Amino acid sequence: MNTACLYARVYEALMCREPETKCALAARLRSDWEAGRISRADAESLPVQRIEVPGRPEPPELVPPQEVPRRRLGSRQGRAVLVHAITHIEFNAINLALDAVYRFRDLPDDFVSDWLRVADEEARHFLMLRKRLQELDADYGDWPAHNGLWEMAVKTDHDPLVRMALVPRVLEARGLDVTPGMMQRLRDAGDTRTVACLEIILEEEIGHVAIGSRWFRHLCAERGLEPEAEFRRLI
C-alpha cells in the first residue's frame, strides 16, 4: 500500500479489527493529512465499496437493542455495563467517521479534515473509556451490544446529505441530550472518574454534531434545498 494514498489508508483503518491498532491508524491519518503527507490521488483508482460489516472485534456479541443489559448505576458492575455501552458507541463512531471520508469523495478537502479529526477524537474517547472499563474490572466485549449506529451508516451510504442529517444530527445529537442526565446519575452514585471522562466526550461531541450540521447545510445549499424543511422530510 502506498502510504501517501488517503483512501487506501482510510480503508485499512476502517477494516482493522483490533481496536488499539484502529485507534493508532486513525491518529496517524489525521496527523499525516494535516501535515500534507497524504493526498487524494487514489480517489479514482480505489473504487468505493459498500461495507456491510466494518472492522470490529468479536466479542462483543451484537444483539437487538432490547437485549442489551440494563444499566443499574447503584452497583460497580452496573456502572461498568453503562461504560461498556458508551465505549461501544465510541468504537462505532470511529468507523462512521472513517467511512464518511472513504465513501463521500466529491466534497472539499475541509470535509476530509473534519471527519479525520472526528475519527481521531472518537478513537481517543474509545481508549479513555476502555481504560475506565478496565479500572472497573471489565473490558470491551464483556457484554453484548447493539449495532444501531452502523446499521444507519449502511442505510445512508448512498448520499452524504442523508448521512449528515441522520447520523450526526439525529443519532449523535440524541447522545448529547441524554449525557448530562447520565452524568448526574453517576455523580449521585459517587463515580466522579466516569463523569470526568464524559465531560471531555460531551464537549468534543458537541463539535462533531456541529460538523455534521455544517456539511448538511453545505449539501443543501448545493442542491437548492431549504435545510430545516429537508431535515424534517428526512426525519
Side-chain angles (χ1 to χ4, degrees):
M1 180 184 69
N2 186 337
T3 58
C5 290
L6 173 68
Y7 295 105
R9 286 185 54 183
V10 171
Y11 184 78
E12 176 195 22
L14 181 56
M15 300 309 292
C16 177
R17 296 172 61 90
E18 203 288 309
E20 305 274 337
T21 305
K22 184 188 291 285
C23 291
L25 290 171
R28 284 201 294 273
L29 268 166
R30 179 187 182 183
S31 63
D32 284 351
W33 171 261
E34 290 179 351
R37 290 190 288 267
I38 47 179
S39 76
R40 306 171 78 174
D42 60 336
E44 294 184 6
S45 61
L46 186 70
V48 177
Q49 302 180 50
R50 181 163 234 223
I51 299 173
E52 298 281 356
V53 181
R56 63 173 185 84
E58 294 182 15
E61 176 189 5
L62 298 181
V63 298
Q66 61 270 22
E67 295 181 23
V68 173
R70 297 284 298 275
R71 306 148 194 180
R72 296 178 175 86
L73 303 188
S75 70
R76 183 180 180 87
Q77 179 168 315
R79 292 191 292 277
V81 169
L82 173 66
V83 174
H84 185 274
I86 304 169
T87 304
H88 180 67
I89 290 168
E90 297 299 323
F91 183 82
N92 267 310
I94 304 169
N95 283 335
L96 280 162
L98 292 170
D99 186 73
V101 176
Y102 169 76
R103 184 163 310 285
F104 303 126
R105 303 184 185 180
D106 294 331
L107 286 150
D109 283 356
D110 281 353
F111 182 85
V112 175
S113 299
D114 279 347
W115 289 103
L116 289 181
R117 169 192 152 193
V118 172
D120 179 35
E121 290 179 353
E122 303 290 17
R124 288 194 290 101
H125 298 171
F126 172 83
L127 294 171
M128 179 171 56
L129 288 167
R130 188 175 193 183
K131 180 180 178 183
R132 180 65 189 134
L133 260 183
Q134 291 165 347
E135 292 170 352
L136 292 166
D137 304 316
D139 202 355
Y140 182 50
D142 283 358
W143 291 280
H146 72 81
N147 200 34
L149 268 175
W150 189 258
E151 288 169 359
M152 183 61 81
V154 175
K155 289 176 184 176
T156 60
D157 67 4
H158 63 290
D159 187 339
L161 185 150
V162 179
R163 170 72 64 85
M164 295 297 111
L166 298 182
V167 177
R169 286 171 58 91
V170 175
L171 296 184
E172 295 190 56
R174 284 178 183 166
L176 296 183
D177 290 342
V178 303
T179 298
M182 188 189 308
M183 290 165 64
Q184 187 56 54
R185 290 168 61 207
L186 287 163
R187 285 190 194 96
D188 293 344
D191 190 347
T192 56
R193 298 186 75 169
T194 301
V195 170
C197 294
L198 294 181
E199 286 173 341
I200 295 168
I201 291 170
L202 179 62
E203 182 177 351
E204 293 186 345
E205 293 292 348
I206 290 169
H208 300 174
V209 174
I211 286 170
S213 292
R214 171 192 176 190
W215 290 106
F216 174 70
R217 289 192 297 268
H218 172 93
L219 288 157
C220 284
E222 279 193 341
R223 301 180 194 187
L225 299 169
E226 198 286 311
E228 291 310 311
E230 180 64 9
F231 183 64
R232 286 194 298 272
R233 186 189 72 79
L234 289 168
I235 293 294

